[in-house]
Structure formats: structure tokens, C-alpha cells
């Protein structure tokens, strides 16, 4: 139960209160002057307008599309209450929350999980993942900044260039460069997806064309492959693999973007018009 979890609930609650019918009605009276709903709303926008709007809109969309029962919320709350015991009330107070506002947060997270659970995973994806995960690779790579340089290195290697020597001289991955580009043995999930898929598609002793990732351009050589000992059959691993793939595909920003698009969200406040971009 992290502080960010509590803060999210507080933000959502604040946003719902602040964004309802802003106007001249006084929110706070002081000897120095009053603060109206309109003034308060403008300040909220300055402090965290986009984030609050995203939270409030997503809460509305998710509650309309999915259902979370009070029983589900209470069950999750009881788990936290058991974990923190006598300190539960103090933890809530320290984060500026009540039992009610924390339950709002739990409900929102459960709604998110239901949205993620709708992500489809095909039998083909499961089989492809299994074929990779049941094997380990021993590979090496050379990482450079541009595609042009990567292509030149591939050409050099195909003309008999020494992979280890080139890696030491040119690879920007300093850790593996010192080892001639050697990455040792690894399995699925150890490398970024682009690298992972390209490496598993290679036969031993073959060199890839340049593979682009967020780190740059990789030239990969798979040295050896071996079966993972006692990995299990496809049928035995199917549920585990399905969940792993779903978690990979169900990144929240992507899901949120689709939900917002499907809901035809149109922001009328010009100061918040880019909140969902």
C-alpha cells in the first residue's frame, strides 16, 4: 500500500469536488477575502489539471463499462487491514485519507484490472512464447547509434570481420563490449522485445540484420541454444504464459487511450484540451 496509491484517491476525490459547477459560490471565507468555486477551480487546473481530469474521466468511463461489487472492494480492503493491523488507521491518516476514500482507490484499481483482463491472447501467441521460453540462448551483440553504422558493421562481419574485436571497438554497450559483445545465457524477458524476437528467430552461428530498439541498433549473433531443463509442456504452461503475455500487452496507457477514444471524450476547457493527448 504505497503512498502513491493513497495520493491517487485523494486526487480523484478532489477533482470530482472541484470540477462540479464552478462559479461564484464561496468555498472558503477569510478575513482577507473569499475564495469562490471559480477561483478554486482555476488553481486546481494550475496545480494538477491534466492529471485530475484524466483520473476523473477514467473513473467515469470504467464505472460505466465495468462493475466492481462492494464485496470485492471490502475483500481487498480487509487484505490491507490485516497487513497493517492496528496501524491501519494511522497509515490512512498519515496519507490524508479515510476508509471511504481509500476504498474509492481500491475500486478504481479493480476496475483497471477488469479492463486489462479483456486483452485477448491467441493460441498462436502462446505457442510462440512457449517455443522461445522453453529455450535459452547464448548470444553476443554490437550496439551502435545509427542504422547506417549498423549496416556497415554487418557488411564488415559478412566479409570476415572479427565480431569480438569490432564489439570492443565500436559497441556503445560498454558492459558487453568489454567481453567482445558477449551477453552470456539468457531466456525470454531478459532483453527488450525487439532484441528478444530477433535473437530467437536466428539459427546458431548466424548474424542478424540491424535490429532497432530504444537503445539504438543491434547486430546480434546467436552462438548456442539449449532447452530449459524441466520447463514443462505447453499444456502445463499455458495459463502462466497467457497471463505473462497479457501483462506485456495490457500496458495501462494503451488501454486508457482506447477507452478514451471509444468514449468520444471531448474536452471543452481550452486550458485542459491536451489532457488526453
Amino acid at each position: 500500500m504505497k503512498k502513491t496509491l493513497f495520493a491517487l484517491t485523494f486526487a480523484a476525490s478532489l477533482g470530482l469536488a472541484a470540477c462540479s459547477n464552478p462559479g461564484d459560490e464561496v468555498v472558503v471565507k477569510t478575513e482577507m477575502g473569499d475564495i469562490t468555486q471559480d477561483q478554486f477551480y482555476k488553481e486546481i487546473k494550475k496545480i494538477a489539471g491534466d492529471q485530475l481530469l484524466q483520473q476523473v474521466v477514467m473513473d467515469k468511463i470504467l464505472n460505466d463499462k465495468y462493475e466492481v461489487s462492494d464485496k470485492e472492494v471490502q475483500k481487498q480492503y480487509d487484505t490491507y487491514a490485516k497487513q497493517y493491523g492496528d496501524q491501519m488507521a494511522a497509515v490512512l491518516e498519515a496519507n490524508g485519507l479515510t476508509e471511504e476514500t481509500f476504498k474509492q482507490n481500491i475500486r478504481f484499481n479493480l476496475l483497471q484490472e477488469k479492463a486489462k483482463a479483456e486483452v485477448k491472447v491467441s493460441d498462436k501467441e502462446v505457442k510462440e512464447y512457449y517455443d522461445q521460453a522453453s529455450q535459452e540462448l547464448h548470444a553476443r551483440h554490437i550496439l551502435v547509434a545509427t542504422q547506417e553504422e549498423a549496416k556497415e558493421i554487418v557488411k564488415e562481419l559478412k566479409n570476415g570481420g572479427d565480431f569480438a574485436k569490432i564489439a570492443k571497438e565500436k559497441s556503445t554497450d560498454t558492459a558487453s563490449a568489454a567481453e567482445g559483445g558477449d551477453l552470456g545465457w539468457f531466456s525470454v524477458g531478459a532483453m527488450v522485445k525487439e532484441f528478444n524476437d530477433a535473437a530467437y528467430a536466428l539459427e546458431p552461428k548466424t548474424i542478424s540484420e540491424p535490429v532497432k530498439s530504444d537503445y539504438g541498433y543491434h547486430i546480434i549473433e546467436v552462438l548456442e541454444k539449449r532447452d530449459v531443463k524441466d520447463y514443462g509442456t505447453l499444456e502445463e504452461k499455458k495459463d502462466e504464459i497467457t497471463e505473462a503475455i497479457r501483462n506485456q500487452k495490457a500496458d495501462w496507457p494503451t488501454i486508457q487511450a482506447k477507452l478514451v477514444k471509444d468514449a468520444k471524450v471531448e474536452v471543452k476547457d481550452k486550458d485542459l484540451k491536451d489532457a488526453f493527448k
Side-chain angles (χ1 to χ4, degrees):
M1 188 161 54
K2 299 178 180 178
K3 187 171 182 179
T4 51
L5 194 67
F6 289 111
L8 190 60
T9 300
F10 178 70
S13 302
L14 183 61
L16 286 168
C19 295
S20 59
N21 301 319
D24 295 331
E25 186 175 336
V26 174
V27 177
V28 178
K29 293 184 73 69
T30 76
E31 291 184 358
M32 286 71 70
D34 299 339
I35 298 174
T36 65
Q37 282 190 352
D38 189 51
Q39 290 171 322
F40 186 52
Y41 175 66
K42 288 177 180 177
E43 288 303 313
I44 289 296
K45 286 198 297 182
K46 289 178 185 177
I47 295 169
D50 286 358
Q51 183 182 354
L52 283 176
L53 187 62
Q54 290 165 10
Q55 178 73 15
V56 173
V57 171
M58 285 312 305
D59 186 73
K60 186 174 183 64
I61 291 172
L62 290 171
N63 272 292
D64 181 72
K65 190 173 178 62
Y66 306 101
E67 184 176 347
V68 170
S69 68
D70 292 342
K71 186 177 180 180
E72 290 175 282
V73 174
Q74 187 63 49
K75 182 179 179 181
Q76 187 70 62
Y77 180 87
D78 290 344
T79 300
Y80 285 115
K82 183 178 179 180
Q83 178 183 347
Y84 284 92
D86 295 340
Q87 298 299 311
M88 184 65 178
V91 172
L92 288 172
E93 184 178 0
N95 287 274
L97 293 173
T98 64
E99 179 178 328
E100 180 182 357
T101 52
F102 182 50
K103 284 182 177 179
Q104 289 175 8
N105 181 271
I106 290 173
R107 184 179 297 278
F108 185 80
N109 282 310
L110 290 174
L111 287 167
Q112 283 183 308
E113 290 305 314
K114 294 201 174 187
K116 290 178 181 179
E118 286 196 344
V119 174
K120 304 299 183 185
V121 177
S122 68
D123 289 341
K124 181 182 178 182
E125 289 175 305
V126 173
K127 178 64 165 58
E128 288 175 350
Y129 188 103
Y130 176 84
D131 289 343
Q132 292 185 3
S134 60
Q135 287 192 318
E136 293 176 314
L137 305 184
H138 177 200
R140 56 185 179 178
H141 82 141
I142 300 168
L143 177 64
V144 293
T146 68
Q147 186 177 28
E148 291 71 24
E149 185 178 7
K151 286 181 176 180
E152 285 299 317
I153 290 173
V154 169
K155 184 177 179 180
E156 186 177 351
L157 290 169
K158 288 182 176 180
N159 287 330
D162 186 288
F163 196 108
K165 181 180 179 183
I166 296 171
K168 289 178 180 179
E169 293 174 350
K170 298 182 178 181
S171 182
T172 58
D173 178 7
T174 54
S176 67
E179 303 298 324
D182 199 324
L183 297 165
W185 288 94
F186 61 88
S187 58
V188 169
M191 306 296 178
V192 294
K193 179 172 174 53
E194 299 88 349
F195 185 105
N196 179 90
D197 291 348
Y200 272 96
L202 289 172
E203 291 298 323
K205 307 298 182 183
T206 57
I207 295 170
S208 74
E209 293 299 316
V211 176
K212 187 179 185 301
S213 79
D214 288 342
Y215 297 97
Y217 290 84
H218 309 260
I219 301 96
I220 307 166
E221 181 182 17
V222 171
L223 301 173
E224 304 171 82
K225 291 186 179 183
R226 68 186 181 194
D227 293 335
V228 175
K229 187 177 180 182
D230 300 324
Y231 184 70
T233 65
L234 175 59
E235 192 61 33
E236 291 170 340
K237 304 292 286 188
K238 185 174 182 178
D239 289 345
E240 178 186 327
I241 290 173
T242 299
E243 188 62 23
I245 296 172
R246 181 174 287 118
N247 287 336
Q248 288 176 358
K249 295 173 69 176
D251 62 294
W252 183 242
T254 300
I255 293 174
Q256 179 174 260
K258 184 178 186 305
L259 289 170
V260 168
K261 182 180 179 181
D262 292 346
K264 296 181 171 60
V265 173
E266 183 180 355
V267 180
K268 298 294 188 180
D269 189 315
K270 61 180 177 59
D271 296 327
L272 300 171
K273 62 184 177 62
D274 294 329
F276 293 96
K277 291 183 180 179

